Amino acid sequence: MQPVNTQHLRNYPKKPTQVYLFGTCIVDSFFPDSGMDAIELLEREGIEVIYPQGQSCCGQPAYNSGYKEEAKAVAMAQVKQFPLDIPVVVISGSCGGMMRHHYLDLLSDDPAINNFCQRVFEFTEFLVHVLRLKPIDQGEKERVALHTSCAARREMGVHITGNKLISQLANVDLVLHDYESECCGFGGTFAVKHADISAAMVADKSKHLVASDVVRYVSADHGCMMNINGALDYQKESLRGEHIASYLLNRIKGQSKAQSKGQSAKEAL
Amino acid sequence: MKHVHEEESKYAASAKDFRKNVTRDLANEELRANFRGAMDYLMDKRKSAFSSADELEVLREQCKLIKQRCLAKLPHLLEQLEDKLEHNGIKVHWAETVTEANEIIAQLIAEKKAKTVVKGKSMVSEETALNDYLEARDVECLESDMGEYIVQLAKQHPSHIIMPAIHQNKQQVAQLFADNIDGFEYSTDVDTLIQQGRTILRDKFCQADVGISGVNFAVAETGTLCLVENEGNGRMCTTIPDLHIAITGIEKVVEHLADVPPLLSLLTRSATGQAISTYFNMISSPRKQGEKDGPKEVHLVLLDNGRSQAFADEELRQTLQCIRCGACMNHCPVYTRIGGHAYGTVYPGPIGKIISPHMLGLDATTNLPTASTLCGACGEVCPVKIPIPKILLRLREESVKPNREQPQVMQGQGAGRSAVEAIIWKIWAQVHKSPTLYALSMWCLTRCRFLMPKKLAGWTSVRTAPKLAATTLHQQIKAKQAKQGRG
């Protein structure tokens, strides 16, 4: 088992000319606009983004359900899709954690797996530590909250990198909501298998976010957002979460969420 | 398997009722408020107990290594402990099952024709349901830890491993005392409540024939039993009655006396944020000739109860590193919501989810490893760095693996396997490992998105259903590239 929270000890490479994007299955099927925004943001920084069409899912759903062999078959198929020695940027902290840390265990019989895992970067981690992105904020003044998924926080240190990116936005006031570090209750199949516990958790998370009096919350994980936005929608609250890739892009371009490609209607739950 | 359950314990039955228990306790607003308030308090206390994150990390690493070293030498250390204790005049008994442990203790009590027992706090004696066993044999057991006393009066079980009555607020305790204690002067002031409780307990200490306690660390090198406590009741139990019986799990043995200070420091700070507990007892022998006090006889019962099953597997062995501080439950978002009783096990919370399957079988506890979002809060605070989320994953794997043709790792493995679920994951893997099948399935899904149900079991009870995109990321990128190619 890899120790967690060692992201700051990584040796980060110089800014590359090419990267792979791992889109994740949730983004692919539910929130493709976040993926397109991530690509646009990377391309604006002069990076060529390669999106292998053979990719599907990191294998986490099966892995977390105890179906290790099934997870392994899917994980192996992913690794094959990213042969070049360039960074693999993952636009979800929990899928990133899966590919960076858990693949080492799951695919330990593959001698090349260490090299692959070393190339995996969570999206905000990549922006902060590899691109050293300094976003120029063109947006209007607003208050936002940041929700970091637990795997992203504890396996990839995204609460630090996400915070750093948003803090650099001159017109954005980053508000810390109550119980900021507490889990939203998603947990993949947990939300279905133990629906009542999950419901109690997301009720609290959405309550704290609403109480923080922000215009939106930002997250680097669509799993949590599917959960929290779904709860907010059910409660008829207007607050919604937005993927950090879309949020940054909109701030840089000076577009509010509603202006940008009608995304709120199309993408938010 | 060496480890056999002769009878299904009451805990196995209540652990099986996990889902029912959860529904019951989630609906109890007062209970939830009690837990939230208490856990917030304990998290703050722990946080303020360490001067820096670096100090905490260094201590955690050190204590993890101590426990791992002691576990690596466990069989040898247990023999050494027995030798040293016997040399010091403390009699050692070995119990493989909870029934054996209870029989040994009942026998020791019967030999003295003793009728009253006063108990210090011991989770291992909860594991064996010792009070029930002795009371069925006409031996009166009185819990002397304030929390345990409250729980005993209320005819409940501990809801937390170090704060047994944390599920009750002061109004509830005041009512409980009013209903059960003659001459109780009604008050909801915590100090007054404790004072009145202690007055009753003090008399009992002097009358009891036997004292029973737990053990936090059993030192092999010196044959010393260490007991951490805050109320002085542990010292009373282990010094006033003529017969002192200590009971603990085999994983509590440490090699050297020098191993104790770092473990103790991390234990009290992780548990309650205290730099040191109010009392720390080191018991090394019964009363010696010429000494004026102390028990005339001291016995130690070492209980296995499934621990050797965990020990046999390198990954699961890490479960035994636990020093029972309770930090994992204090920081667990699931425990905070459902409370300690919903688990139905002696040990609740994250540590309960990974230790109980060895004690009760994975068949009785199959709902526990899945009742986690794998958020990792427990692993982050564990003072001995038990990778609790990783072990939960491992238990999920053991729970769903086909029972035949597999080596037997633990009792009840395969109990959580459902044929339907297994087939779904097989199909899922086939689709997601084949780019062609995945593309085809996504093509079909996006075309048929209007068929997507508005109601999804569990999910839509508090959320709206997510909507599939009209075009996937794969398709959008393909379209963009085609456009650029043409342009």
Side-chain angles (χ1 to χ4, degrees):
Chain A
M1 168 98 176
Q2 274 285 303
V4 292
N5 271 340
T6 53
Q7 291 306 306
H8 59 293
L9 302 176
R10 279 186 97 164
N11 283 322
Y12 287 103
K14 285 211 175 80
K15 182 178 168 178
T17 54
Q18 281 184 320
V19 298
Y20 283 122
L21 184 78
F22 186 79
T24 82
C25 59
I26 289 188
V27 166
D28 191 31
S29 42
F30 292 104
F31 313 102
D33 292 350
S34 301
M36 295 306 283
D37 289 343
I39 293 172
E40 190 178 334
L41 195 65
L42 292 169
E43 286 176 345
R44 283 173 76 99
E45 294 302 307
I47 290 176
E48 186 194 342
V49 180
I50 304 174
Y51 185 83
Q53 283 282 334
Q55 63 178 286
S56 60
C57 167
C58 66
Q60 195 176 186
Y63 185 70
N64 285 358
S65 301
Y67 288 85
K68 211 170 171 179
E69 283 311 305
E70 287 77 0
K72 191 174 171 180
V74 172
M76 268 165 65
Q78 305 314 307
V79 173
K80 257 192 240 160
Q81 299 295 326
F82 302 89
L84 298 178
D85 192 17
I86 56 173
V88 181
V89 178
V90 185
I91 53 173
S92 149
S94 71
C95 311
M98 175 76 189
M99 298 173 89
R100 166 132 174 87
H101 298 297
H102 297 282
Y103 274 18
L104 284 174
D105 270 358
L106 193 60
L107 303 177
S108 56
D109 42 6
D110 175 358
I113 196 59
N114 197 39
N115 172 273
F116 175 82
C117 296
Q118 293 292 336
R119 289 193 282 126
V120 172
F121 299 90
E122 187 276 331
F123 181 67
T124 62
E125 177 193 17
F126 185 78
L127 294 186
V128 169
H129 292 299
V130 183
L131 290 196
R132 299 176 189 276
L133 182 75
K134 302 264 185 289
I136 309 286
D137 190 6
Q138 311 262 13
E140 283 170 20
K141 224 171 165 44
E142 67 177 25
R143 285 162 61 89
V144 300
L146 176 70
H147 170 74
T148 308
S149 87
C150 300
R153 172 188 302 275
R154 301 203 168 90
E155 295 183 339
M156 303 302 277
V158 175
H159 55 307
I160 297 164
T161 47
N163 187 305
K164 187 156 187 186
L165 287 168
I166 295 180
S167 301
Q168 288 176 1
L169 299 171
N171 296 328
V172 173
D173 194 2
L174 180 58
V175 178
L176 200 66
H177 59 284
D178 286 345
Y179 298 98
E180 179 267 336
S181 65
E182 197 171 77
C183 180
C184 72
F186 177 56
T189 52
F190 168 82
V192 179
K193 279 191 175 160
H194 297 278
D196 43 1
I197 307 175
S198 175
M201 290 167 76
V202 75
D204 287 344
K205 178 55 81 175
S206 51
K207 182 177 81 186
H208 298 315
L209 281 169
V210 168
S212 70
D213 190 29
V214 290
V215 292
R216 74 191 89 236
Y217 76 91
V218 177
S219 177
D221 257 285
H222 265 303
C224 310
M225 275 196 286
M226 198 158 79
N227 179 39
I228 303 168
N229 283 351
L232 289 168
D233 191 34
Y234 187 90
Q235 298 160 19
K236 307 231 181 306
E237 291 285 352
S238 59
L239 180 69
R240 290 293 178 277
E242 190 177 11
H243 194 276
I244 195 161
S246 305
Y247 188 65
L248 287 173
L249 185 67
N250 293 339
R251 295 302 302 186
I252 292 170
K253 286 162 78 172
Q255 291 170 325
S256 78
K257 190 179 171 189
Q259 289 166 321
S260 65
K261 306 183 287 188
Q263 202 169 349
S264 58
K266 239 163 76 188
E267 186 163 306
L269 282 155
Chain B
M1 289 247 78
K2 261 181 79 186
H3 155 64
V4 188
H5 306 283
E6 298 92 6
E7 49 193 336
E8 186 179 270
S9 76
K10 61 177 179 179
Y11 296 114
S14 52
K16 277 183 184 164
D17 282 340
F18 177 73
R19 288 174 182 283
K20 252 191 270 171
N21 304 342
V22 165
T23 308
R24 177 197 66 209
D25 291 350
L26 276 176
N28 186 338
E29 297 278 342
E30 187 178 36
L31 186 75
R32 285 183 59 184
N34 292 352
F35 274 104
R36 176 94 260 184
M39 297 307 114
D40 285 354
Y41 173 75
L42 289 166
M43 285 194 283
D44 278 350
K45 289 283 280 180
R46 174 184 174 274
K47 218 175 180 177
S48 61
F50 296 96
S51 61
S52 74
D54 286 345
E55 184 212 8
L56 172 59
E57 269 321 294
V58 168
L59 250 181
R60 287 176 76 219
E61 186 62 25
Q62 181 189 7
C63 288
K64 177 193 85 175
L65 292 173
I66 289 172
K67 286 298 287 189
Q68 288 184 342
R69 163 168 50 79
C70 296
L71 285 170
K73 299 179 180 177
L74 185 65
H76 165 69
L77 292 184
L78 286 170
E79 279 178 21
Q80 191 188 356
L81 177 70
E82 182 178 26
D83 283 352
K84 286 287 172 187
L85 285 171
E86 297 270 349
H87 178 260
N88 293 348
I90 297 174
K91 182 94 184 63
V92 176
H93 309 262
W94 301 90
E96 195 177 325
T97 63
V98 296
T99 312
E100 277 178 37
N102 287 341
E103 281 168 358
I104 291 165
I105 293 171
Q107 180 65 30
L108 289 170
I109 293 171
E111 279 167 15
K112 293 277 175 273
K113 300 195 170 50
K115 282 289 162 206
T116 54
V117 169
V118 65
K119 284 181 71 201
K121 197 181 141 5
S122 155
M123 287 309 290
V124 177
S125 76
E126 295 287 340
E127 216 177 300
T128 69
L130 180 64
N131 292 8
D132 293 350
Y133 188 91
L134 291 181
E135 266 153 29
R137 284 153 187 80
D138 289 327
V139 177
E140 186 203 347
C141 291
L142 184 79
E143 292 290 351
S144 66
D145 171 273
M146 189 53 59
E148 289 277 356
Y149 176 66
I150 292 167
V151 166
Q152 190 180 28
L153 273 187
K155 298 188 172 48
Q156 292 174 330
H157 295 293
S159 58
H160 188 286
I161 62 170
I162 58 161
M163 280 150 291
I166 201 78
H167 56 288
Q168 299 219 9
N169 58 38
K170 55 189 180 184
Q171 288 81 10
Q172 291 170 313
V173 174
Q175 194 54 51
L176 181 74
F177 281 12
D179 293 344
N180 289 278
I181 301 175
D182 292 336
F184 171 71
E185 289 169 41
Y186 191 87
S187 166
T188 55
D189 175 62
V190 174
D191 289 338
T192 313
L193 283 170
I194 291 178
Q195 216 39 57
Q196 295 200 56
R198 283 198 178 148
T199 311
I200 294 167
L201 291 172
R202 195 149 191 105
D203 287 344
K204 297 282 183 179
F205 284 122
C206 303
Q207 297 156 8
D209 306 316
V210 185
I212 293 181
S213 76
V215 176
N216 291 91
F217 313 107
V219 185
E221 179 182 62
T222 53
T224 309
L225 306 177
C226 303
L227 185 60
V228 181
E229 48 133 355
N230 274 323
E231 298 176 23
N233 65 309
R235 182 156 303 172
M236 306 271 266
C237 287
T238 57
T239 52
I240 298 178
D242 279 345
L243 173 61
H244 167 213
I245 305 169
I247 177 168
T248 197
I250 52 173
E251 81 283 17
K252 293 282 174 63
V253 63
V254 296
E255 188 172 11
H256 304 298
L257 201 56
D259 293 332
V260 173
L263 289 171
L264 174 63
S265 169
L266 202 50
L267 170 63
T268 60
R269 292 201 272 176
S270 301
T272 51
Q274 290 173 285
I276 182 75
S277 53
T278 317
Y279 294 84
F280 182 65
N281 308 284
M282 301 176 83
I283 299 156
S284 48
S285 78
R287 185 191 303 195
K288 287 179 189 149
Q289 235 177 358
E291 287 181 343
K292 289 191 173 136
D293 52 17
K296 289 176 182 154
E297 273 183 40
V298 179
H299 296 259
L300 173 68
V301 180
L302 282 161
L303 176 67
D304 182 341
N305 191 26
R307 288 164 173 83
S308 57
Q309 175 183 279
F311 179 77
D313 182 279
E314 206 184 331
E315 185 175 36
L316 300 173
R317 179 183 296 182
Q318 297 172 95
T319 311
L320 303 180
Q321 285 164 219
C322 179
I323 55 172
R324 303 286 190 267
C325 71
C328 61
M329 51 200 80
N330 299 346
H331 290 74
C332 176
V334 172
Y335 176 89
T336 302
R337 299 298 180 316
I338 67 176
H341 288 145
Y343 294 81
T345 51
V346 173
Y347 302 97
I351 186 63
K353 285 177 189 169
I354 64 170
I355 189 79
S356 307
H358 297 290
M359 295 171 174
L360 306 170
L362 201 44
D363 37 0
T365 54
T366 186
N367 281 318
L368 298 185
T370 58
S372 162
T373 62
L374 302 173
C375 79
C378 50
E380 190 175 64
V381 297
C382 176
V384 286
K385 292 184 143 180
I386 302 173
I388 300 176
K390 195 81 204 294
I391 294 177
L392 287 170
L393 280 177
R394 172 66 189 282
L395 293 172
R396 290 181 185 186
E397 192 191 338
E398 295 300 331
S399 175
V400 299
K401 80 184 187 187
N403 219 347
R404 58 199 142 69
E405 88 218 27
Q406 297 279 359
Q408 190 81 6
V409 175
M410 54 195 303
Q411 189 186 335
Q413 70 184 42
R417 188 176 178 86
S418 116
V420 177
E421 204 184 68
I423 289 170
I424 289 173
W425 285 117
K426 272 229 148 51
I427 297 170
W428 175 90
Q430 290 301 326
V431 169
H432 287 83
K433 76 179 186 188
S434 154
T436 325
L437 280 179
Y438 180 72
L440 184 68
S441 73
M442 291 311 290
W443 187 87
C444 295
L445 269 179
T446 47
R447 293 293 165 296
C448 305
R449 56 201 278 269
F450 61 89
L451 289 177
M452 182 128 165
K454 288 243 171 355
K455 295 253 177 261
L456 302 165
W459 182 268
T460 48
S461 60
V462 295
R463 308 168 192 85
T464 53
K467 294 180 186 74
L468 276 168
T471 49
T472 65
L473 182 59
H474 281 68
Q475 292 160 357
Q476 289 196 25
I477 289 170
K478 227 179 206 167
K480 184 181 162 193
Q481 282 164 348
K483 213 166 130 192
Q484 281 168 348
R486 280 200 305 274

